[in-house]
Amino acid sequence: MQAFLQQILNALQLGSVYALIALGYSMVYGIITLINFAHGDIFMVSTYVAFFVGSALMAYALKLPGLITFLLTMFASMMFTAFLAVVIERFAYRPLRKAPRVSAVITALGVGLFLENFTLATIGPHPRFLPPIIPVQRFTIGGIATSNIQLIIIFVSAIVMFLLDTIVRRTMVGMAMRAISWDKFTVPLMGVPMDRIISITFALGASIAAVGGTLYGFVYTIDPYMGIRIGWWAFISAVVGGIGNIRGAMLGGYLLGLVEIFTPVILPSSTYRDFVAFSMLLLLLVFRPYGLLGRPVTQKV
């Protein structure tokens, strides 16, 4: 039983990161029906920003408490990636808003490749580690081994997801997002600044991915191609939960975290993880193509 609870805790840690990234896919798709394949690479950029800002703060501001350094690092990463996402939306996606959808998808793939290769050319291929901004403290609760970093990842992710859910459901900006996702042709006629709301959506999705990127860097290595696999898993999370549905993206993230952690436990090798995840996606697309919490979209003819 303790081993099972231990794996559940590990799945919560990994699933929290997937859920944070999946939210960006789901929000952008929900408002302009674009699958932003560059989102995984924006996540990658956020981890590098956290790496450089965290290293600089550790080097030149040694007297700052670890918690303050962590918050400053995460805030800087959120601001940079939000700005990057708005620039990408403004110059890469907005001109194609009325073009065939495949044009925007190809552009998203191109933006992702640009970010990967630009990072590779300027920073190099060597894996890096986020500096120990918060010293790791390991302890055992009821026979389950954990650490302060693991609990911070789960706790911070839960707070961010709660805040985003509140923004989308309880604020005027969130109401405008939901209105545009419902009818993007009529809503601008009612005075809603659609371009601004779409930019805010990109900024919110990227900044939430930056939270995931900063937390991810505490545990895993950073490299220019990390956004490919993590991005695909987050995309599957969004589709499994119901792409376009905020709570569905959260649910899908945690489900994929369970799949990734429990597959090596049940099956003989960890190499089955991608097979299980994509099989789950295919089965879901066959029997419930709109996801676990999604709703079928009907169109008037």
Side-chain angles (χ1 to χ4, degrees):
M1 187 63 184
Q2 286 181 348
F4 175 76
L5 293 176
Q6 181 73 60
Q7 298 303 335
I8 289 288
L9 189 63
N10 295 335
L12 281 176
Q13 172 192 319
L14 190 60
S16 298
V17 176
Y18 286 151
L20 290 175
I21 307 168
L23 286 169
Y25 281 105
S26 201
M27 290 174 70
V28 169
Y29 183 84
I31 199 165
I32 58 172
T33 60
L34 166 68
I35 298 174
N36 184 14
F37 284 116
H39 191 62
D41 295 295
I42 291 173
F43 159 79
M44 176 271 295
V45 171
S46 76
T47 59
Y48 273 103
V49 174
F51 168 78
F52 286 114
V53 173
S55 300
L57 289 174
M58 294 282 288
Y60 301 109
L62 296 175
K63 293 183 180 179
L64 285 178
L67 180 61
I68 301 297
T69 305
F70 164 66
L71 292 176
L72 288 175
T73 300
M74 189 167 67
F75 181 74
S77 180
M78 291 172 68
M79 291 299 103
F80 183 86
T81 48
F83 174 74
L84 176 64
V86 170
V87 170
I88 291 172
E89 188 277 327
R90 176 64 185 83
F91 294 102
Y93 299 151
R94 191 179 299 182
L96 299 174
R97 203 173 288 167
K98 295 181 181 178
R101 197 168 299 171
V102 67
S103 303
V105 172
I106 292 171
T107 301
L109 289 169
V111 170
L113 287 171
F114 171 79
L115 292 175
E116 288 165 19
N117 288 286
F118 181 79
T119 306
L120 182 67
T122 53
I123 300 176
H126 305 296
R128 296 169 187 264
F129 299 89
L130 208 68
I133 297 171
I134 298 178
V136 180
Q137 297 178 1
R138 303 186 187 281
F139 44 87
T140 303
I141 303 174
I144 302 171
T146 184
S147 69
N148 58 336
I149 299 296
Q150 192 170 37
L151 297 180
I152 286 173
I153 291 174
I154 297 171
F155 182 67
V156 171
S157 300
I159 290 177
V160 170
M161 286 186 273
F162 172 76
L163 289 176
L164 177 67
D165 192 67
T166 303
I167 289 172
V168 171
R169 294 179 182 279
R170 307 283 178 149
T171 66
M172 293 298 291
V173 171
M175 187 183 297
M177 289 178 184
R178 287 184 284 127
I180 292 173
S181 69
W182 184 259
D183 189 341
K184 62 176 64 66
F185 299 104
T186 304
V187 168
L189 301 177
M190 303 173 71
V192 176
M194 193 168 79
D195 288 340
R196 189 187 307 166
I197 297 298
I198 290 174
S199 295
I200 291 173
T201 304
F202 271 83
L204 265 178
S207 59
I208 291 169
V211 174
T214 306
L215 297 174
Y216 183 90
F218 277 124
V219 184
Y220 305 99
T221 57
I222 304 168
D223 67 77
Y225 294 114
M226 60 182 285
I228 299 174
R229 185 177 182 281
I230 303 295
W232 274 111
W233 276 71
F235 173 65
I236 295 172
S237 303
V239 175
V240 167
I243 194 162
N245 186 302
I246 298 296
R247 294 181 179 178
M250 300 176 196
L251 174 64
Y254 286 112
L255 285 176
L256 266 290
L258 287 169
V259 168
E260 179 149 358
I261 294 298
F262 276 95
T263 297
V265 177
I266 298 171
L267 297 177
S269 170
S270 62
T271 55
Y272 288 96
R273 283 183 296 199
D274 289 355
F275 169 75
V276 173
F278 281 95
S279 298
M280 189 171 73
L281 176 64
L282 289 174
L283 286 173
L284 190 77
L285 289 176
V286 170
F287 296 104
R288 195 176 172 85
Y290 39 88
L292 295 175
L293 299 187
R295 294 179 180 176
V297 177
T298 56
Q299 290 184 335
K300 293 181 180 179
V301 179

